[in-house]
Amino acid sequence: MIQRQRIVAGNWKMNKSYVEGRELVKEISDRLQPTDTMVILAPPFIHLNNVGNNIRGVANMFLAAQNCHWAESGAYTGEISARMLESIEVQYVIIGHSERREYFLETDEILAKKIDAVLAHNMRPIFCCGEKLEVREAGTQEQLVEEQLRKALFHLSPEAFQKVVIAYEPVWAIGTGKTASPQQAQDMHAFIRSVIAGQYGDEAAQATSILYGGSCNPSNARELFGQADVDGGLIGGASLKADDFLAIVNSFS
Ligand code: PGA
C-alpha cells in the first residue's frame, strides 16, 4: 500500500507580532520531538524569513505561506508573488482558504491561476475546500466540494497533481469550536479521494494527503486523525500555542 504523508500544518492567520512569532516558532522547533509527521508552519508574510531560519535544519519542519498572487511580478500594490516566496525558500502555499474566498472574493478561476503560480515556482499548494453551513444543511456538500476540486485543480497534469495537498475545511467548523464528527470528516475525505481516483487514477488518489481543518484541537485530533482517509490537519486557533500545536502533532496513534 502507498504510504501517504502525515501532515500537521499550523495556519497562524493574521496573528502574532514579530516578537511573538519569534517566540512561538522557537518554542515549537525547540520542543518538537523526532517525528515521522511533516510539520508545516504557515505564518503571516512578515514572519516567513525568520520562521524559515528557525526551522531550517530541524527534521520534518517545513515553511508555508498563507496566500500568494498569481502573477510573476508587476503593478499589484500590496501583493506577494510565488516567485518572491520561492526566493526565501518557502515550500508550501495555502491556496483557497475559505477566508480568502469569503473576504477577498477569490473565485475558483483565480485559485486555479494561483495553483499554477505555486507549482511553477517549485512549491506545493495546500488547497482548501469545504462547504458552508447552508450547503451542509441542504445535503449538497459533496457536489460543492467536487466542483471546487474540479475548477481549481483538475486542469493539472498527473505529475503536477502529485504535488498537491488537500485540506477539507467545512466552513461551519472553522474557528467555531464546532468540529465535524470523525465520521463526517471520514465520509468527505473518502469522497474526495474517490473524485481524485476518477480523474487521476487510484494510485494517485491513494498517494494524496488529505488534511482535515476546522476547530481541530488536542482533545479531538487523535480521533479525527485515526480515520482511514484523514492524513492530518490544518490547524488555526490551536496552532498559536506551542503546547496545543505540539500535542496535535503527537496525535497520530
Ligand atoms: P481553526 O481554523 O482551527 O481555528 O478552526 C482552521 C483553519 O481555518 O485552517
Side-chain angles (χ1 to χ4, degrees):
M1 208 185 79
I2 293 164
Q3 271 292 317
R4 300 193 279 275
Q5 283 163 330
R6 288 170 160 183
I7 299 174
V8 173
N11 172 11
W12 295 5
K13 307 194 179 181
M14 195 175 72
N15 292 293
K16 302 290 178 191
S17 70
Y18 189 65
V19 170
E20 290 162 352
R22 240 173 31 187
E23 285 164 5
L24 180 58
V25 66
K26 187 159 184 341
E27 206 179 339
I28 291 171
S29 54
D30 283 354
R31 290 175 49 200
L32 180 71
Q33 303 291 322
T35 173
D36 291 338
T37 302
M38 292 174 56
V39 178
I40 302 176
L41 297 182
F45 291 125
I46 66 142
H47 296 279
L48 284 170
N49 212 20
N50 177 63
V51 169
N53 288 336
N54 259 270
I55 66 176
R56 199 165 294 126
V58 182
N60 266 340
M61 287 198 83
F62 301 87
L63 182 63
Q66 298 174 12
N67 176 38
C68 70
H69 197 270
W70 65 80
E72 274 294 290
S73 60
Y76 296 99
T77 301
E79 291 293 314
I80 304 279
S81 72
R83 179 167 179 269
M84 293 170 181
L85 297 176
E86 182 188 27
S87 75
I88 57 161
E89 298 177 35
V90 169
Q91 294 148 304
Y92 290 79
V93 186
I94 299 173
I95 295 291
H97 191 280
S98 60
E99 289 148 18
R100 300 291 321 170
R101 295 176 190 259
E102 172 87 8
Y103 305 129
F104 303 97
L105 310 181
E106 295 191 1
T107 61
D108 293 317
E109 292 68 29
I110 289 175
L111 300 178
K113 292 203 279 181
K114 291 189 173 199
I115 293 276
D116 290 343
V118 169
L119 290 168
H121 286 282
N122 307 306
M123 298 178 288
R124 299 181 60 183
I126 301 173
F127 176 73
C128 301
C129 56
E131 79 286 355
K132 291 186 183 172
L133 185 60
E134 59 264 30
V135 173
R136 171 66 61 169
E137 283 173 349
T140 53
Q141 65 272 12
E142 291 189 347
Q143 286 97 298
L144 189 273
V145 168
E146 177 166 356
E147 192 178 305
Q148 290 175 332
L149 296 169
R150 277 191 191 290
K151 289 190 169 163
L153 296 179
F154 284 2
H155 63 288
L156 296 176
S157 69
E159 294 67 42
F161 186 80
Q162 286 177 9
K163 303 260 163 35
V164 177
V165 173
I166 310 256
Y168 168 58
E169 300 204 306
V171 180
W172 46 272
I174 295 179
T176 57
K178 223 182 184 190
T179 329
S181 70
Q183 192 59 51
Q184 283 172 323
Q186 168 56 25
D187 288 350
M188 182 58 89
H189 284 226
F191 173 73
I192 291 171
R193 213 177 289 290
S194 73
V195 173
I196 297 169
Q199 181 75 16
Y200 292 104
D202 203 41
E203 209 171 306
Q206 290 304 323
T208 303
S209 294
I210 307 177
L211 316 183
Y212 168 79
S215 299
C216 190
N217 61 43
S219 19
N220 59 30
R222 187 170 294 277
E223 210 185 340
L224 286 160
F225 297 174
Q227 303 301 308
D229 286 290
V230 177
D231 304 311
L234 179 53
I235 318 300
S239 75
L240 299 173
K241 288 195 188 127
D243 282 348
D244 287 354
F245 186 65
L246 290 167
I248 295 172
V249 169
N250 294 325
S251 289
F252 290 95
S253 356

